[in-house]
């Protein structure tokens, strides 16, 4: 599904609310003038209003009568800032209004899918998402689409059901309203993909035919029919992206499901459950895990398509008999009786016996699915690696080999790009955070384990791999032809590259504000950022912006080392778990950056793990202001255990959570409304702004053989930061404004003390 947004408009996120008809309103009506008696009070008042993102009060603010050079400079900054914010607010408000009107028109014409697309686009741009969802037409459309998804599920149109539930779940994620339905469809689809490849292929082909019937002519990577991709910022066309339409030719052979269960023994599964019972981060009962395992087996029984590989599932009588035993065991697990290890083993033996007398699914399949179901009751980071997966998992942990340079995570049966790594084939080709990888070398990866998918993507440097990617809710896939490489990338960037290819780190030379973008916490990142900081201090830096947006994290040791460059003392991080001894890390007392240099750290929803450790510690010790969007919420400590008599299987189990100095847990929990690191100044971004920012960063990162003609790639660092006509990075603008004011205030304080 496409959000149906005109990409030519560059949106600026501002503080808006959503009215009953869905249009954004900027709080700019009838502003009350704000008076400041002195120049210092004027700077402080402006600073406070920007922190609060109160643009209306800022617009109505009167300058002091004393026309000093400082006052004139601040007034000029404020005027530029307000003009940009209000102008872009109007664009955002207009676009939301268009999407809402289109959604209502489509809904009235009984075009539910089209209405849903427009609704999703408006929702993505709205700030008050709770108010948006309370509108009657949104409630009506949500009901209609959930009913449609349920019909598709019942009819076996699992991919179409999955698509709708996935979007509904993204809208109602906190309340988890569609969580159960989504994960049920994910599990059913995964089972079909794994054990009935022919049926899954037919399902993909049918879904593809439906989409082509709706959209007609195939689209290119730009989303325009019959035209090739536009040149990139370098002036060269993007050779890695090919025009595509979903086409499915019957392969010469299908994968053998038997390969996925080779070497599996029930001892592996029982040992994994036992370890989780005693070592998991929070206390967990056998009952809790067993219900997950039984639900997975019930889905096996509830998916007659699997009769392709397990013929007895095609017999309704045998299926009823097996289901009756599973329901009986489920009632026991939910009865309130606390089950122990012996109870669990006896329950498993009864399930195996019932299977033998009814549907006769192979014991290795039952063992794998029951174990996976048990672990799905824990968290998405805890996982069993069965014998067929262990070899590749070991390579992932210990090996160095060719890849395309993407951080990925499981996402509703497929893989989601957390972030492409700067300088890598994926990054240069234009793969973006949030992209969904659906095919590798033309084959669907739905239901394929993370390690198996990584195995397919990685390979010998110099060889090629093709990724089929769905961007946003687009109905067609983008195909990227990538050449694998040994991934060697620098994680510290500046604002713009110089002529020699080096980075400019001073983003505002008049105010002496430095800018460092950190793309990952690698082993050599601490040394790289120390060099950049030393360079900036040699050029008399007075303020610093550290950009952690899209940073997926990395090494804990590196995050601690970088904290020590800014903090003199105090706790940086601690861990706490059910069975793990508590650990903590503290600052060592010799900061590289003087404590009187103000710091602002930019974070967004893709800043995770080590990014959250560093930014959270800096926030809690009042060493930096955090600005942007709430971070991802990944703060779990995991250990790897060997399973089985010959250690031929492994498991990854969450053992503890990371806690920030103020005691807040980084990890996002179910139903939580707070997680990760919350910014002190929230400046939301629309999906379009995120796309523009990522494009700008990619353009700046690519080393060009010839001077670039585009504004983004050719610009030089300005003596004083100016607001370009085409603006979209309001988070960076706001950070620069706040640092300018902090620097002026610190100068005034220094003069007063002297």
């Amino acid at each position: 599904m496409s959000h149906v947004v005109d990409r030519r408009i560059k949106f600026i996120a501002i503080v808006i609310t959503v009215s009953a008809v869905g249009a954004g309103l900027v709080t700019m009506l009838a502003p009350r003038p704000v008076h400041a008696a002195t120049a210092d009070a004027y700077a402080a008042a402006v600073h406070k209003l920007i922190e609060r993102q109160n643009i209306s009060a800022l617009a109505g603010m009167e300058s002091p009568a004393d026309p000093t050079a400082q006052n004139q400079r601040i007034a000029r900054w404020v005027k530029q800032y307000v003009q940009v914010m209000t102008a872009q607010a109007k664009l955002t408000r207009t676009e939301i209004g268009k999407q809402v009107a289109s959604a209502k028109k489509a809904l009235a014409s009984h075009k539910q899918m089209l209405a849903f697309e427009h609704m999703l686009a408006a929702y993505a741009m709205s700030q008050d998402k709770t108010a948006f969802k309370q509108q009657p037409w949104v409630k009506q459309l949500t009901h209609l689409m959930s009913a449609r998804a349920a019909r598709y599920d019942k009819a076996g149109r699992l991919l179409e059901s999955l698509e709708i539930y996935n979007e509904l779940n993204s809208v109602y994620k906190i309340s988890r309203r569609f969580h159960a339905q989504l994960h049920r469809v994910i599990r059913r689809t995964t089972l079909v993909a794994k054990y009935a490849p022919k049926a899954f292929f037919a399902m993909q082909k049918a879904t593809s035919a439906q989409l082509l019937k709706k959209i007609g002519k195939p689209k290119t990577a730009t989303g325009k029919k019959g035209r090739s991709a536009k040149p990139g910022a370098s002036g060269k066309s993007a050779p890695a992206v090919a025009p595509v339409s979903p086409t499915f030719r019957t392969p010469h052979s299908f994968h053998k499901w038997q390969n996925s269960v080779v070497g599996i023994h029930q001892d592996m599964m029982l040992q994994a459950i036992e370890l989780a019972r005693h070592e998991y981060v929070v206390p967990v009962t056998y009952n809790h895990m067993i219900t997950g395992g039984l639900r997975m087996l019930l889905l096996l029984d509830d998916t007659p398509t699997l009769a392709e590989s397990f013929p007895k599932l095609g017999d309704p009588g045998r299926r009823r008999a097996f289901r009756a035993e599973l329901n009986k065991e489920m009632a026991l697990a939910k009865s309130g009786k606390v089950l122990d290890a012996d109870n669990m083993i006896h329950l498993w033996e009864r399930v195996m016996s019932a299977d033998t007398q009814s549907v006769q699914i192979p014991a290795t399949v039952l063992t794998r699915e029951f174990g996976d179901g048990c672990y799905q009751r824990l968290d998405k980071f805890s996982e069993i690696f069965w014998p067929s997966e262990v070899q590749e998992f070991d390579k992932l942990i210990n090996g160095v080999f060719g890849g395309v340079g993407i951080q990925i995570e499981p996402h509703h049966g497929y893989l989601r790009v957390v972030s492409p790594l700067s300088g890598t084939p994926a990054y240069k080709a234009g793969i973006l955070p949030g992209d969904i990888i659906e095919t590798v070398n033309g084959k669907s990866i739905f239901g394929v384990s993370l390690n198996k998918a990584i195995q397919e993507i990685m390979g010998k440097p110099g060889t090629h791999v093709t990724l089929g990617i769905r961007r946003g809710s687009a109905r067609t896939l983008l195909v990227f032809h990538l050449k694998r490489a040994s991934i060697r990338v620098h994680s510290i960037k500046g604002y713009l590259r110089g002529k020699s290819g080096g980075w400019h780190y001073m983003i505002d030379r008049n105010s002496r504000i430095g800018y460092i973008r950190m793309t990952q916490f690698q082993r050599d990142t601490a040394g790289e950022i120390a060099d950049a900081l030393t360079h900036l201090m040699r050029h008399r830096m007075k303020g610093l912006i550290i950009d952690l947006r899209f940073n997926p994290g990395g090494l804990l040791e590196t995050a601690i080392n970088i904290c020590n460059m800014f903090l003199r003392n105090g706790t940086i991080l601690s861990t706490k778990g059910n069975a793990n001894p508590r650990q903590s890390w503290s600052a060592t007392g010799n900061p590289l950056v003087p404590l009187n240099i103000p710091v602002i750290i930019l974070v967004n929803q893709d800043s995770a793990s080590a990014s959250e450790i560093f930014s959270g510690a800096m926030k809690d010790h009042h060493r930096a202001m955090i600005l942007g969007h709430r971070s991802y919420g990944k703060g779990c400590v995991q250990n790897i255990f060997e399973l089985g008599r010959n250690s031929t299987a492994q498991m990854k189990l969450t053992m503890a959570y990371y806690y920030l100095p103020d005691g807040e847990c980084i990890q996002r929990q179910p139903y939580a409304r707070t997680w990760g690191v919350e910014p002190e100044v929230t400046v939301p971004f629309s999906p379009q702004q995120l796309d523009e920012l990522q494009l700008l960063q990619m353009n700046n990162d690519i080393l060009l053989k010839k001077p670039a003609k585009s504004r983004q790639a050719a610009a030089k660092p300005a003596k004083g930061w100016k607001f370009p006509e085409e603006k979209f990075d309001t988070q960076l603008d706001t950070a620069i404004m706040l640092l300018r004011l902090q620097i002026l205030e610190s100068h005034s304080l220094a003069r007063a003390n002297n």
Side-chain angles (χ1 to χ4, degrees), residues 511-569:
S511 298
R512 299 197 177 279
I513 296 173
Y515 172 90
I516 295 175
R517 176 162 59 93
M518 196 185 314
T519 61
Q520 201 175 12
F521 287 77
Q522 300 173 168
R523 197 166 302 281
D524 56 358
T525 300
E528 288 184 18
I529 195 172
D531 291 342
L533 291 170
T534 301
H535 169 83
L536 284 167
M537 289 186 291
R538 197 163 54 237
H539 288 78
R540 296 178 294 159
M541 173 180 66
K542 296 179 180 178
L544 175 65
I545 297 168
I546 299 177
D547 194 342
L548 298 181
R549 293 174 296 181
F550 307 112
N551 186 320
L555 298 176
L556 170 62
E557 177 185 3
T558 300
I560 300 298
N561 289 340
I562 296 175
C563 283
N564 281 320
M565 297 179 190
F566 294 89
L567 300 176
R568 188 178 298 279
N569 51 44

Side-chain angles (χ1 to χ4, degrees), residues 401 498 530 546 548 550 565 620 639 641-642:
F401 39 132
I546 299 177
L548 298 181
F550 307 112
M565 297 179 190
D620 287 357
N639 283 5
F641 297 88
E642 294 182 338

Side-chain angles (χ1 to χ4, degrees), residues 273-571:
I273 296 173
E274 184 72 10
L275 282 167
R277 169 68 181 85
H278 297 288
E279 303 289 341
Y280 189 57
V281 59
V282 296
V284 60
T285 64
Y286 290 115
N287 301 61
H288 182 76
M289 289 185 283
I290 286 169
T291 57
L294 291 172
R295 284 174 186 166
M296 185 62 82
L297 298 189
L298 283 165
L299 284 178
L300 276 171
D301 179 74
D302 194 35
T303 310
T305 308
L306 298 179
E308 173 187 314
S309 298
F310 314 127
K312 296 295 192 296
L313 279 175
D315 185 331
R318 289 177 178 271
R319 284 172 48 211
R320 280 195 299 271
F322 187 50
R323 173 170 289 273
E325 179 59 32
L326 293 178
N327 284 330
K328 178 181 175 183
E329 302 300 345
M330 182 71 81
L332 173 63
K334 292 182 174 181
S335 66
K337 176 184 177 182
V338 179
L339 303 181
D340 58 21
D342 287 338
N343 297 141
M344 177 189 67
I345 293 172
H346 293 322
L347 181 149
W348 175 245
E349 290 172 346
R350 292 193 296 271
V351 168
M352 292 288 288
S353 176
D355 170 68
T356 302
Q357 298 173 36
S358 57
V359 291
Q360 298 178 10
I361 297 172
T364 51
V365 173
L366 288 184
T367 300
R368 174 170 185 151
E369 298 310 322
F370 187 83
D372 287 346
C374 288
Y375 263 54
Q376 286 175 2
R377 293 284 280 163
L378 303 178
D379 61 66
K380 66 179 181 179
F381 304 109
S382 296
E383 185 177 1
I384 299 173
F385 298 98
W386 302 100
S388 62
E389 302 167 322
V390 165
Q391 184 178 4
E392 295 306 320
F393 180 61
D394 285 341
K395 287 182 182 178
L396 176 66
I397 297 298
N398 303 313
V400 177
F401 39 132
V404 298
I406 48 175
Q407 293 279 337
I408 56 177
E409 64 178 0
H411 182 75
H412 304 322
Y414 293 108
L415 297 177
R416 178 168 61 187
V417 177
V418 176
S419 178
L421 303 180
S422 296
T424 62
Y427 191 83
K428 293 176 182 178
I431 292 176
L432 301 177
D435 281 351
I436 306 300
I437 302 173
E438 295 194 5
T439 66
V440 177
N441 292 328
K443 296 180 180 179
S444 173
I445 59 167
F446 191 91
V448 175
S449 70
L450 176 62
N451 295 303
K452 181 64 175 176
I454 290 173
Q455 175 187 357
E456 295 294 326
I457 294 171
M458 303 183 80
K460 185 178 180 179
T463 59
H464 292 79
V465 63
T466 300
L467 303 183
I469 282 178
R470 191 174 302 280
R471 179 161 296 166
S473 296
R475 291 181 174 181
T476 54
L477 296 182
L478 300 177
V479 173
F480 291 82
H481 304 293
L482 305 174
K483 186 177 181 179
R484 297 183 179 100
S486 295
I487 307 302
R488 298 285 188 270
V489 295
H490 295 287
S491 55
I492 297 300
K493 317 286 183 180
Y495 177 61
L496 287 172
R497 284 195 184 275
K499 291 181 179 179
S500 64
W503 286 102
H504 291 297
Y505 294 107
M506 195 70 77
I507 194 170
D508 185 341
R509 286 193 286 169
N510 280 349
S511 298
R512 299 197 177 279
I513 296 173
Y515 172 90
I516 295 175
R517 176 162 59 93
M518 196 185 314
T519 61
Q520 201 175 12
F521 287 77
Q522 300 173 168
R523 197 166 302 281
D524 56 358
T525 300
E528 288 184 18
I529 195 172
D531 291 342
L533 291 170
T534 301
H535 169 83
L536 284 167
M537 289 186 291
R538 197 163 54 237
H539 288 78
R540 296 178 294 159
M541 173 180 66
K542 296 179 180 178
L544 175 65
I545 297 168
I546 299 177
D547 194 342
L548 298 181
R549 293 174 296 181
F550 307 112
N551 186 320
L555 298 176
L556 170 62
E557 177 185 3
T558 300
I560 300 298
N561 289 340
I562 296 175
C563 283
N564 281 320
M565 297 179 190
F566 294 89
L567 300 176
R568 188 178 298 279
N569 51 44
T571 299

